[in-house]
């Protein structure tokens, strides 16, 4: 979440900053939630930015695990 505010002008200012950001922000990645107000709570706004999932690591060469303990004679 980038911003949570009750001030619509603050939300608008943040959106303008995101548009001007370098590197540019993909507009499809921006999410605005409007938290509907009631008589006891004013309307709020929540601004979030979706982040892409990290790419999976490419498969590498198989690495051998730790050596297995051998079966030796039991002393006892």
């Amino acid at each position: 979440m980038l911003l949570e505010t009750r001030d619509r002008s603050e939300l608008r200012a943040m959106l303008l900053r995101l548009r001007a950001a370098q590197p540019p922000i993909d507009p499809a990645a921006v999410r605005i939630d409007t938290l509907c107000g009631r008589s006891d709570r004013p309307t709020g706004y929540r601004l979030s930015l979706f982040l892409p999932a990290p790419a999976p690591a490419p498969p590498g060469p198989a690495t051998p695990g730790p050596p297995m303990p051998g079966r030796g004679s039991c002393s006892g």
Side-chain angles (χ1 to χ4, degrees), residues 2-71:
L2 296 175
L3 175 72
E4 187 167 346
T5 183
R6 294 181 184 157
D7 184 357
R8 191 173 179 146
S9 63
E10 186 178 4
L11 172 69
R12 190 169 170 81
M14 176 61 104
L15 287 170
L16 290 172
R17 282 194 298 272
L18 286 175
R19 274 193 194 154
Q22 291 298 323
I25 302 292
D26 178 12
V30 176
R31 176 179 170 158
I32 302 171
D33 294 308
T34 302
L35 310 171
C36 296
R38 303 274 189 261
S39 59
D40 61 335
R41 287 189 196 165
T43 300
Y45 305 96
R46 189 176 289 161
L47 181 64
S48 304
L49 190 62
F50 290 109
L51 299 177
T63 56
M68 297 295 286
R71 291 187 171 194

